[in-house]
Amino acid sequence: MKAINLKQKLTLFTEQWTPKIIGELNGQHVKLAKMQGEFVWHDHKNEDVLFYVIKGQLIIELRDKTVTLNEGDMYIVPRGVEHKPIAKEEVHIMLFEPAFIKHTGDVQHEITKEKLDWI
């Protein structure tokens, strides 16, 4: 294992809404993603998801409230809670999720990726 530089890893891709795996621990993947625009409403029935904002501002809409995250903020979406991330301008985030999770939950959408890349 060696140190991982998040800024360097973020230069390796440009795709939006396609998380890249940078590490694994205790059955969890650590992922980086770039986002801009609106994602789809979805949930993860049995898994919590942690969002950590590295750069920019991320809005997470929930059915009963809206959470705004700025650089350095994190939020854990509890399992089974429907949510929709929104980024008015490009945002860079780090995610902690179970290794087997699908990033769109059970929702099939044109942005759904069955297999994520390691970088």
Side-chain angles (χ1 to χ4, degrees), residues 67-108:
V67 177
T68 300
L69 303 175
N70 294 299
E71 291 180 18
D73 291 342
M74 64 171 259
Y75 183 74
I76 298 170
V77 178
R79 65 193 71 196
V81 173
E82 212 174 3
H83 57 287
K84 178 173 82 167
I86 299 170
K88 293 179 181 174
E89 295 184 15
E90 186 173 82
V91 63
H92 298 172
I93 66 163
M94 184 164 45
L95 300 156
F96 289 84
E97 315 178 301
F100 57 83
I101 200 170
K102 292 184 181 178
H103 74 300
T104 56
D106 290 334
V107 173
Q108 284 298 315

Side-chain angles (χ1 to χ4, degrees), residues 58-75:
L58 180 66
I59 298 166
I60 301 177
E61 285 192 4
L62 308 169
R63 293 297 185 183
D64 62 345
K65 67 180 178 179
T66 299
V67 177
T68 300
L69 303 175
N70 294 299
E71 291 180 18
D73 291 342
M74 64 171 259
Y75 183 74

Side-chain angles (χ1 to χ4, degrees), residues 4 6 9-24 29-35 54 93-97 103 113 115-119:
I4 297 170
L6 301 181
K9 291 289 187 184
L10 284 160
T11 67
L12 299 178
F13 66 99
T14 58
E15 300 114 315
Q16 303 279 332
W17 304 110
T18 305
K20 305 295 183 188
I21 303 166
I22 61 167
E24 185 172 13
H29 277 164
V30 181
K31 301 172 185 175
L32 294 178
K34 294 180 179 180
M35 304 174 173
I54 298 167
I93 66 163
M94 184 164 45
L95 300 156
F96 289 84
E97 315 178 301
H103 74 300
K113 300 289 183 200
K115 185 173 187 270
L116 299 179
D117 297 327
W118 280 80
I119 57 169

